[in-house]
Amino acid sequence: MMALMEVPIMDKKKWRRHEQRIEVACIIRAATNGLLYIGVKNKYCYICSQSEPGKESKEHKCYKNYQGTSTGIEQAILVQGFRESARMHNLRYKYIVSDGDSSTYAKIQHNVTYGRQVIKLECANHMVRNYTDKLHKIIRDTVHDITARKELSQLIPRLTKGARAAITDAGDNVSNSDVLRDGLYHVFGQHSNCKHDQLLDGFYFII
Ligand SMILES: [Zn+2]
Ligand SMILES: [Zn+2]
């Protein structure tokens, strides 16, 4: 079966403006990268946009199917995708690979019937990126002493490398692991938290 969609022709500039008002999110099978679900939400409707503020617009076929923030839209699409899993693919999704934002996971747990059984896996790439993003944020924050910020910025490559190795080493236990926090102390020369028997731990391995 083929679905036909009526797409109005727009010039590039108009399309760009329109593009900012639509949000797309999808569910992808991690093993194969196959697309399992794609959702599109539209924040814009021409007729609504033409009506005077505060006044109800005339009766029309409204194309706006979502109002809210981009994160909210993304979460709504993913929740919908999880809800549709049985109907579309005759299965339940067991794992979700997290991008470090636990609010999406919470939404799935609360709003999907089998949500409580879904297990969150951390993505090492996302974790390392979040970790270094936070460190860079500290470096940019002029509230902190300049010497300390300079010292931290010199240590970033070491910290990043250590974090990646430690996350890989911790595997699925990484959420319950203190390794990122302890690694920081270690790199700055404070060893009271160090469990030096964990020689495989990324930080101790590298540094
Ligand atoms: Zn409308
Ligand atoms: Zn140490």
Side-chain angles (χ1 to χ4, degrees):
M1 202 180 88
M2 206 167 73
L4 283 179
M5 211 164 60
E6 245 177 81
V7 181
I9 313 232
M10 289 189 214
D11 66 42
K12 239 188 180 166
K13 230 168 150 189
K14 269 191 196 150
W15 173 249
R16 185 77 219 116
R17 258 201 333 259
H18 185 69
E19 207 179 29
Q20 288 161 359
R21 294 158 177 154
I22 52 177
E23 295 283 343
V24 181
C26 48
I27 297 175
I28 288 166
R29 191 191 295 262
T32 59
N33 283 341
L35 183 67
L36 292 163
Y37 182 84
I38 183 159
V40 181
K41 298 263 185 211
N42 192 3
K43 289 192 268 187
Y44 180 73
C45 165
Y46 178 75
I47 297 171
C48 285
S49 78
Q50 293 302 302
S51 67
E52 281 170 59
K55 265 195 186 165
E56 199 136 313
S57 47
K58 63 177 187 217
E59 207 171 296
H60 65 288
K61 185 174 190 320
C62 191
Y63 287 97
K64 198 158 56 176
N65 61 2
Y66 199 85
Q67 279 174 305
T69 63
S70 296
T71 322
I73 294 179
E74 195 184 294
Q75 289 174 348
I77 293 173
L78 293 178
V79 164
Q80 212 168 315
F82 270 71
R83 282 181 175 170
E84 299 268 325
S85 71
R87 191 185 61 79
M88 290 177 74
H89 304 291
N90 205 16
L91 51 78
R92 289 176 167 189
Y93 300 134
K94 196 170 174 190
Y95 300 102
I96 176 168
V97 179
S98 165
D99 62 356
D101 168 24
S102 54
S103 63
T104 302
Y105 182 54
K107 280 266 156 41
I108 285 166
Q109 285 194 305
H110 288 121
N111 300 307
V112 179
T113 43
Y114 63 93
R116 295 264 163 219
Q117 280 114 56
V118 177
I119 298 162
K120 184 173 78 156
L121 301 177
E122 296 293 346
C123 164
N125 286 341
H126 277 106
M127 272 192 102
V128 173
R129 203 177 63 203
N130 289 346
Y131 177 76
T132 34
D133 278 356
K134 297 263 155 62
L135 294 177
H136 281 292
K137 213 170 155 188
I138 297 173
I139 290 167
R140 283 195 307 271
D141 192 344
T142 48
V143 162
H144 309 298
D145 176 66
I146 179 80
T147 332
R149 287 192 284 138
K150 271 193 182 146
E151 196 174 337
L152 175 60
S153 99
Q154 278 165 5
L155 288 171
I156 287 232
R158 245 170 98 188
L159 286 164
T160 309
K161 237 171 144 183
R164 179 169 291 281
I167 289 165
T168 310
D169 186 53
D172 288 347
N173 298 321
V174 70
S175 321
N176 314 316
S177 163
D178 298 328
V179 68
L180 289 183
R181 192 198 58 210
D182 293 351
L184 268 173
Y185 282 107
H186 176 79
V187 172
F188 278 92
Q190 215 259 69
H191 299 288
S192 55
N193 288 320
C194 288
K195 304 164 193 92
H196 283 285
D197 51 326
Q198 293 178 314
L199 277 178
L200 273 176
D201 193 316
F203 283 99
Y204 310 131
F205 223 29
I206 283 159
I207 301 144

Coordinates of all heavy atoms in Angstrom, one line a residue, residues 16 33 48 60 62 66 81 97 105 128 163 177 197 202-203:
R16 N 12.3 26.7 5.1 CA 13.2 26.8 6.2 C 12.4 27.3 7.5 O 12.5 26.7 8.6 CB 14.3 27.8 5.9 CG 15.4 28.1 6.8 CD 16.4 27.0 6.8 NE 16.8 26.8 8.2 CZ 16.6 25.8 8.9 NH1 16.2 24.7 8.3 NH2 17.0 25.7 10.2
N33 N 20.3 -0.7 12.9 CA 19.9 0.7 12.5 C 18.6 0.8 11.7 O 18.3 1.8 11.0 CB 21.0 1.3 11.6 CG 22.2 1.7 12.5 OD1 22.0 1.9 13.7 ND2 23.3 1.9 11.9
C48 N -4.4 29.2 11.9 CA -4.3 29.6 13.3 C -3.4 30.8 13.4 O -3.7 31.8 14.1 CB -3.7 28.5 14.2 SG -4.8 27.2 14.6
H60 N -11.7 25.2 10.9 CA -10.8 24.8 9.8 C -10.2 23.4 10.1 O -10.2 23.0 11.3 CB -9.7 25.8 9.6 CG -8.8 26.0 10.7 ND1 -9.1 26.6 11.9 CD2 -7.5 25.6 10.8 CE1 -8.0 26.5 12.7 NE2 -7.1 25.9 12.1
C62 N -7.3 21.8 11.2 CA -6.1 22.3 11.8 C -4.9 21.4 11.7 O -5.0 20.2 11.9 CB -6.3 22.6 13.3 SG -5.0 23.6 14.0
Y66 N 0.7 19.6 17.9 CA 1.4 19.6 19.2 C 1.8 21.0 19.6 O 2.1 21.9 18.7 CB 2.7 18.8 19.1 CG 3.2 18.4 20.5 CD1 2.7 17.3 21.2 CD2 4.1 19.2 21.1 CE1 3.1 17.0 22.5 CE2 4.5 19.0 22.4 CZ 4.0 17.8 23.1 OH 4.4 17.6 24.4
G81 N 5.6 5.9 20.1 CA 6.3 4.9 19.4 C 6.3 3.6 20.2 O 6.0 2.5 19.7
V97 N 18.4 2.9 24.7 CA 19.7 3.4 24.8 C 19.6 4.9 25.1 O 19.1 5.7 24.3 CB 20.6 3.2 23.5 CG1 21.9 3.8 23.7 CG2 20.6 1.7 23.2
Y105 N 13.2 8.7 29.7 CA 13.0 7.3 30.2 C 11.9 7.3 31.2 O 11.0 6.5 31.2 CB 14.3 6.9 30.9 CG 14.3 5.5 31.5 CD1 13.9 4.4 30.7 CD2 14.7 5.3 32.8 CE1 13.9 3.1 31.3 CE2 14.7 4.1 33.4 CZ 14.3 3.0 32.6 OH 14.3 1.7 33.2
V128 N 30.2 10.3 27.6 CA 31.5 11.0 27.6 C 31.2 12.4 27.1 O 31.8 13.4 27.6 CB 32.5 10.3 26.6 CG1 33.7 11.1 26.4 CG2 32.8 8.9 27.2
A163 N 37.6 8.8 31.2 CA 36.2 8.6 31.3 C 35.7 7.5 30.3 O 35.0 6.6 30.7 CB 35.4 9.9 31.1
S177 N 27.9 3.3 39.2 CA 29.3 3.4 39.5 C 29.8 4.8 39.9 O 29.3 5.8 39.3 CB 30.1 2.9 38.3 OG 31.4 3.3 38.3
D197 N 42.9 -1.3 43.7 CA 42.9 -2.7 43.3 C 42.1 -2.9 42.0 O 42.3 -3.9 41.3 CB 42.2 -3.6 44.4 CG 40.9 -3.0 44.9 OD1 40.7 -1.8 44.9 OD2 40.0 -3.9 45.2
G202 N 39.4 2.5 33.9 CA 40.0 3.3 32.9 C 41.0 4.4 33.4 O 42.1 4.5 32.9
F203 N 40.5 5.1 34.5 CA 41.3 6.2 34.9 C 42.7 5.7 35.5 O 43.7 6.3 35.2 CB 40.6 6.9 36.1 CG 39.5 7.8 35.6 CD1 38.2 7.4 35.6 CD2 39.8 9.0 35.0 CE1 37.2 8.2 35.1 CE2 38.8 9.8 34.6 CZ 37.5 9.4 34.6

